[in-house]
Amino acid sequence: MMRRTLLAGLIVIVAILSACSNNSAEPASQEVVQDTVQNFYNEMSKFDQMGKSSLEDFNTTLTSYSTGDATAKELQKAVDQFQDTASDIANQVGEVKIAKNLPESIQTLLRDSIIAFESAYSIKEQASKGAVSPDVTAEEFDAMNQQADVAMLYGISKLNEARVAAGLIDAEEDTEAGTTAVSPSEAEPATTTGNTSGNTAD
């Protein structure tokens, strides 16, 4: 009798959990989809700003070092700080969760953007090491930064596609949005500093 009672109770619990699971997987409304995608966009923009500020500090110190206005110790400190920031951003981007109730197509776009952004920041972390390494030429430094730019641009394109799919922006705005959404502009100065790295790596 007790076994039957326990079995019946277990069946009820499983049924309840199953029902809850099914409810959580119900497709989101258009409003919820837009809010979710916008929140995702805002979060990526926050990471972008963090990376941009850190890179500006790094580039300023690197330029100062090349002109003799900063010491090797100050340059190494700037490199370490940028590496820590880039690594932290890459980790945080990789931990961003994608809501399961979004349309599968939008989930895929957001997932692709996460992979691209995470890769971009990881490459930037590696590239910054080349700024003070005698084993990395200016050309190799530039190549790494260009790879990071490509990854960043790909992530932006996927994020904008998700925004279009969610109805946040029109398809016609997609190209323009690529220059204002999570902009890769923070990567551009790094390419310039690559020319300097060959002179400062000694």
Side-chain angles (χ1 to χ4, degrees), residues 40 44 93-94 96 98 110-119:
F40 182 95
M44 292 301 110
V93 169
V96 173
I98 297 175
L110 296 183
R111 194 176 300 114
D112 287 347
S113 72
I114 284 179
I115 294 172
F117 290 139
E118 187 177 9
S119 297

Side-chain angles (χ1 to χ4, degrees), residues 2 16 30 66 90 107 151 172:
M2 183 174 292
I16 292 175
Q30 181 68 12
S66 68
Q107 287 189 50
E172 291 76 13

Side-chain angles (χ1 to χ4, degrees), residues 134-171:
D135 300 322
V136 177
T137 66
E139 290 74 19
E140 291 171 332
F141 182 80
D142 284 342
M144 284 189 285
N145 278 294
Q146 288 170 11
Q147 290 174 6
D149 290 349
V150 170
M152 186 70 75
L153 287 170
Y154 182 77
I156 292 171
S157 70
K158 292 303 174 182
L159 178 53
N160 284 334
E161 285 182 43
R163 296 171 72 204
V164 170
L168 289 170
I169 59 175
D170 295 331

Side-chain angles (χ1 to χ4, degrees), residues 57-69:
D57 292 340
F58 169 68
N59 281 336
T60 298
T61 304
L62 185 58
T63 300
S64 297
Y65 178 76
S66 68
T67 58
D69 295 324

Side-chain angles (χ1 to χ4, degrees), residues 158-196:
K158 292 303 174 182
L159 178 53
N160 284 334
E161 285 182 43
R163 296 171 72 204
V164 170
L168 289 170
I169 59 175
D170 295 331
E172 291 76 13
E173 299 177 46
D174 192 1
T175 302
E176 180 180 352
T179 63
T180 55
V182 194
S183 173
S185 58
E186 81 278 12
E188 293 172 1
T191 302
T192 302
T193 60
N195 298 326
T196 312

Side-chain angles (χ1 to χ4, degrees), residues 72-84:
K73 184 177 180 179
E74 290 173 327
L75 175 60
Q76 186 60 57
K77 180 180 179 181
V79 170
D80 291 341
Q81 290 177 335
F82 179 72
Q83 288 175 1
D84 289 344

